[in-house]
């Protein structure tokens, strides 16, 4: 509302005033440059951001501050002519009156920088406004600091509640003599990693807010000292510098952040919570192998990776930032699996498995053999009591299928306990290339059907009967290309779908649960899978058109599976 002062004998009236750029009635600002009244929305979206716009509530106080300020243009007389001064020579640092100019005495000031009274007072108005603006923005930052403190307090409380609840469930499971408590490790890994990211985000936000606060505080003090200055030459010089500073993009962005309250925007800070199936890449390592076709990890967290194409097997160790190769073996492998003792079984695509002793580190023969077949896949059950292999006839081509294609279950001594080959006189497998098992005795076999890696997952019950077959996500029209398979601590099954850059999650009976596009995790061509003793998931990738470099190893934390 614009207040119209009445003439003598008239009543005071009020006239409704709208924004000069739209029809909004809520006026908040006056642009000194344009001499218009505007609303907040127009100021932020339509009006030039570098114009001198003043909060209408500050206009009166600004004028008052200007009138009371000690650096107002002096109401004094010229020492030479006795008239009021009206300008200032910056070069000579001398006050001038109109007669100085009229009598051409300003010839002494030829090519000098002359500042008129009006320009001087305008600069002073701008400095007063900028000081008020900086002071107000400091208030916004103070509010943001308090808000982020409260939010961090809430997230900290949530984290410790979740951690306490997980540990309580783990303790209850031990009391009930539930041996497998690995799923609790996985949950703790997940929330610990999330909490680490939450704290990191809070610290970065707090650091940014504090840096902005310090900058605004310094600017506020500069404006204040400048306004109080009685040295007119210094005032004009410093006012120009400050005016240039306030026109810089960095300052404009800082002011914009404050006035639009961007400091109070905490959407970039993640929440410490556990949802449904969720995967987060915690670490990423680039290896010197072109492909990571195989991964195996034991209870000592000894890690083995293998590349079938380049015929290389490596024992590696990973830390916070690096992957270190401890030993190399020039051998072409078609599968690896570890015992909890640290001994490693290798498929060299012969009729018997090879073995690397944890203590000796040398490749030797093992007691796990098959006749007239080539072993193509190997798996050691979680209890270390059984070794399960996939094998094919050692004659003829891989495709089309020729001869026997079997899955054989052996005990620790190498004795054959079961051979799974057919179901109702039909062959169960074309080319068994990867195997895992669950605690209920089910065996999951990736069965490759053709050269283009199209395949399926065949699920056998403990007695060898075909329980189900998974052929890929129902909504996917592209070929399902399963290559790697592993069992989670909660007895869920993970399957890498290499050519489709995907991860499929099945239950312990082979029913579909979740589909993950690994490109969202930054993983292209996922291939091999393994779990560490601390229940972190390892995913190995291979090179291809979309990933022409070396094979990468990803350490993933997860929940809900």
């Amino acid at each position: 509302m614009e207040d119209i002062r009445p003439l003598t004998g008239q009543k005071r009236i009020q006239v409704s005033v709208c924004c000069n750029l739209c029809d909004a009635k809520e006026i908040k600002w006056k642009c000194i440059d344009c001499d218009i009244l505007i609303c907040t929305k127009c100021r932020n979206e339509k009006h030039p951001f570098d114009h001198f716009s003043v909060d209408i509530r500050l206009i009166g106080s600004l004028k008052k501050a200007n009138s009371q300020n000690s650096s107002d243009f002096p109401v004094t007389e010229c020492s030479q002519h006795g008239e009021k001064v009206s300008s200032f020579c910056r070069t000579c640092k001398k006050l001038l009156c109109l007669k100085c100019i009229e009598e051409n005495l300003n010839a002494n000031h030829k090519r000098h920088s002359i500042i008129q009274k009006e320009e001087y007072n305008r600069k002073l108005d701008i400095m007063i406004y900028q000081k008020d603006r900086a002071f107000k923005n400091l208030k916004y930052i103070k509010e943001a600091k308090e808000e982020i403190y409260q939010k961090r307090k809430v997230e900290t409380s949530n984290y410790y509640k979740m951690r306490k609840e997980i540990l309580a469930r783990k303790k209850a499971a031990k009391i009930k003599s539930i041996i497998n408590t690995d799923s609790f490790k996985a949950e703790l890994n997940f929330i610990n990693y999330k909490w680490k990211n939450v704290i990191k985000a809070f610290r970065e936000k707090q650091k940014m807010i504090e840096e902005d606060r310090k900058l605004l505080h310094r600017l506020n003090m500069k404006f204040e000292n400048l306004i109080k200055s009685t040295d007119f030459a210094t005032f004009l010089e410093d006012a120009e510098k400050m005016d240039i500073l306030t026109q810089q993009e960095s300052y404009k962005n800082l002011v914009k952040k404050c006035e639009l309250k961007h400091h109070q925007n905490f959407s970039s800070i993640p929440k410490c919570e556990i949802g449904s199936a969720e995967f987060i890449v915690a670490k990423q390592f680039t290896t010197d192998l072109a492909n990571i076709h195989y991964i195996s990890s034991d209870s000592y967290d000894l890690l083995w990776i293998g590349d079938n194409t380049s015929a290389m097997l490596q024992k590696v160790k990973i830390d916070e930032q690096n992957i270190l190769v401890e030993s190399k073996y020039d051998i072409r492998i078609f599968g690896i699996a570890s015992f909890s003792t640290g001994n490693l079984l290798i498929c060299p695509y012969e009729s018997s498995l090879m073995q690397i002793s944890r203590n000796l580190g040398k490749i030797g023969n093992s007691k796990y053999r098959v006749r007239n077949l080539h072993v193509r896949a190997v798996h050691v059950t979680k209890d270390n009591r059984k070794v399960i292999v996939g094998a094919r006839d050692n004659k003829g081509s891989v495709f089309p299928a020729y001869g026997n294609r079997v899955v054989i279950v052996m005990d620790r001594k190498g004795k054959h306990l079961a051979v799974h080959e057919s179901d109702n006189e039909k062959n169960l497998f074309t080319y068994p290339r990867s195997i895992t098992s669950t605690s209920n005795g089910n065996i999951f076999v990736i069965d490759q059907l053709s050269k283009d890696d199209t395949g399926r997952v065949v699920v056998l019950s403990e007695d060898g009967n075909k329980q189900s077959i998974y052929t890929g996500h129902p909504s996917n029209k592209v070929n399902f290309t399963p290559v790697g398979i592993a069992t989670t601590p909660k007895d869920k099954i993970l399957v890498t779908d290499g050519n489709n850059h995907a991860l499929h999650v099945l239950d312990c009976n082979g029913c579909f649960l979740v589909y993950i596009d690994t490109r969202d995790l930054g993983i292209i061509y996922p291939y091999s899978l393994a779990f560490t003793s601390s229940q972190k998931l390892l995913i190995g990738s291979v090179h291809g058109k979309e990933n022409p470099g070396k094979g990468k190893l990803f350490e993933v934390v997860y929940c809900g599976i």
Side-chain angles (χ1 to χ4, degrees), residues 415-431:
K415 180 182 178 182
H416 290 205
L417 302 177
V419 178
H420 307 303
E421 182 175 8
S422 60
D423 177 58
N424 295 326
E425 299 183 353
K426 290 183 179 181
N427 289 337
L428 278 170
F429 311 107
T430 300
Y431 187 34

Side-chain angles (χ1 to χ4, degrees), residues 39 100 182 216 241 301 347 381 397 417 489 496:
C39 64
C100 292
D182 287 342
L216 276 172
K241 290 179 182 178
D301 271 353
C347 292
T381 58
S397 61
L417 302 177
T496 51

Side-chain angles (χ1 to χ4, degrees), residues 93-145:
K93 299 182 182 179
K94 182 178 179 182
L95 290 166
L96 307 175
C97 70
L98 289 173
K99 273 198 172 183
C100 292
I101 300 172
E102 289 172 1
E103 294 179 2
N104 205 26
L105 291 178
N106 63 326
N108 296 325
H109 308 283
K110 193 174 182 180
R111 295 192 180 93
H112 287 192
S113 176
I114 308 298
I115 300 294
Q116 300 298 323
K117 174 182 177 180
E118 292 75 18
E119 178 63 18
Y120 179 93
N121 286 338
R122 186 178 183 280
K123 287 181 181 294
L124 180 60
D125 283 348
I126 292 174
M127 293 301 105
I128 293 171
Y129 167 70
Q130 293 291 6
K131 175 192 173 298
D132 289 340
R133 198 179 194 186
F135 184 78
K136 185 171 63 174
N137 289 334
L138 281 169
K139 182 181 176 184
Y140 292 149
I141 282 186
K142 184 179 178 182
E143 291 171 358
K145 285 184 70 176

